[in-house]
Amino acid sequence: MKRQKITPVILSGGAGTRLWPLSRMQSPKQMLRLLGERSMIQATALRTPEGQRFTAPIIVAGAAHRTEIEKQMQAINVSIKPLILEPAGRNTAPAIALAAHAALRTDPDALILVMPSDQVIADISAFLDSIECAASVAGDGWLTTFGIEPTRAETGYGYIEGGDSIESPARAVVRFVEKPDATIARDYVEAGNFFWNAGIFMMRAQTYLDTLSTHAPQIAAAVDEAYKHGKDEDALFIPAADAFETSPSDSIDYAVMEKADKVAVVPVNMGWSDIGAFNALWEQLPRDPDGNAADGNVIALDSTNCLFKSDGPMIAALGVSGLAVIATGDA
């Protein structure tokens, strides 16, 4: 029996403001080559190559980033079907709804894999294995999220509490939890059934739209109209701005996942990070024996556990510890 193809959906609407001055509105962190030769959005697209298992990706982004996304995907020979340009930022629930409509045009039973464009996944094999489990569960009508097995009592992430087993290792979701304080985070890690919320999802496109209509009808109606009256230009889709801008701005977590009945989590340990701040970038980079990660024109003496990154100007550090020092041409 031939397996159903999965449609990757890459969300590229974030600005990455916590990585300023590297990340800017015109060049957000997903467009940057922070780790190696590929930008973060290129690395995301290459995790699910078009072929037997995956279709070409759908990318949802702002109009300002169209040229850069097209250039970066062309550089790695990835075709986009389509690139959806949001007329305005309305968070992830409407963005995913646009992608779901696009996926259904070519496959009425479309399975979509929703991925942020600005995450690190070191163990691709573990990720692909978890996708197979998530696809099986999603095929049975579950809205499925990926839960990262926590390695520390992190207070910067939301958590997912896993309950009864559905299909190993997938579990039914008991609840989503906001970012906890340090004491509660330690309790979660020790409990063993709490996972970091990675913001990666697998579901049938129609199941998502149906659930959105139930729990967030204003978003569903606005996106329906925006898609129905949008402009289709080959590999580019532009939703109708007047309709899309009437949509409330809400995340998939609040609008759908926290309210739906059949929600599953697939726990996975895959070397994941969202590079949400400079300390997370420092953790991902090679470091010298003093714990310093240095990139660019840097001189560091008697300094430990620092991140030094320069796009040109010299950084000179003497006797400092635990600092992030970032130099660009203008900041």
Side-chain angles (χ1 to χ4, degrees), residues 3 6 53-54 111 113 125-147 165-172 201-203 264-268:
R3 292 186 301 174
I6 296 166
R53 194 62 178 123
F54 301 100
L111 269 176
L113 171 66
S125 178
F127 181 46
L128 294 175
D129 287 345
S130 69
I131 286 173
E132 294 308 319
C133 176
S136 176
V137 173
D140 290 333
W142 291 80
L143 301 172
T144 310
T145 185
F146 292 69
S165 176
I166 302 169
E167 174 186 317
S168 183
R171 302 177 175 206
F201 306 93
M202 172 88 78
M203 62 202 79
V265 58
V266 176
V268 58

Side-chain angles (χ1 to χ4, degrees), residues 42-54:
Q42 286 177 320
T44 302
L46 290 171
R47 286 177 200 133
T48 54
E50 183 179 2
Q52 291 185 335
R53 194 62 178 123
F54 301 100

Side-chain angles (χ1 to χ4, degrees), residues 109-301:
D109 295 318
L111 269 176
I112 56 174
L113 171 66
V114 180
M115 301 177 287
S117 58
D118 56 359
Q119 297 184 345
V120 171
I121 295 176
D123 189 341
I124 305 299
S125 178
F127 181 46
L128 294 175
D129 287 345
S130 69
I131 286 173
E132 294 308 319
C133 176
S136 176
V137 173
D140 290 333
W142 291 80
L143 301 172
T144 310
T145 185
F146 292 69
I148 307 303
E149 297 175 6
T151 56
R152 60 186 182 276
E154 174 62 54
T155 60
Y157 300 142
Y159 284 71
I160 303 165
E161 182 180 359
D164 294 338
S165 176
I166 302 169
E167 174 186 317
S168 183
R171 302 177 175 206
V173 169
V174 175
R175 58 179 172 142
F176 290 83
V177 186
E178 291 290 338
K179 298 172 183 177
D181 62 29
T183 301
I184 294 175
R186 282 194 296 271
D187 291 342
Y188 288 167
V189 174
E190 290 172 5
N193 65 323
F194 285 82
F195 310 98
W196 292 338
N197 187 350
I200 304 172
F201 306 93
M202 172 88 78
M203 62 202 79
R204 288 204 180 280
Q206 191 61 58
T207 301
Y208 176 72
L209 291 177
D210 291 345
T211 311
L212 188 69
S213 293
T214 298
H215 297 292
Q218 286 181 286
I219 294 176
V223 174
D224 285 350
E225 283 297 302
Y227 196 84
K228 190 185 303 179
H229 299 290
K231 294 180 182 177
D232 196 356
E233 302 176 3
D234 192 22
L236 191 70
F237 186 85
I238 304 172
D242 55 349
F244 190 74
E245 289 172 5
T246 67
S247 171
S249 179
D250 209 351
S251 69
I252 179 178
D253 299 88
Y254 289 131
V256 175
M257 302 301 282
E258 294 184 5
K259 299 172 182 174
D261 296 324
K262 292 183 68 174
V263 181
V265 58
V266 176
V268 58
N269 181 2
M270 56 186 182
W272 173 90
S273 173
D274 68 349
I275 311 294
F278 283 117
N279 63 320
L281 178 59
W282 171 81
E283 288 173 355
Q284 294 291 325
L285 290 169
R287 299 187 289 276
D288 66 21
D290 293 320
N292 298 312
D295 180 27
N297 192 4
V298 175
I299 298 173
L301 302 175

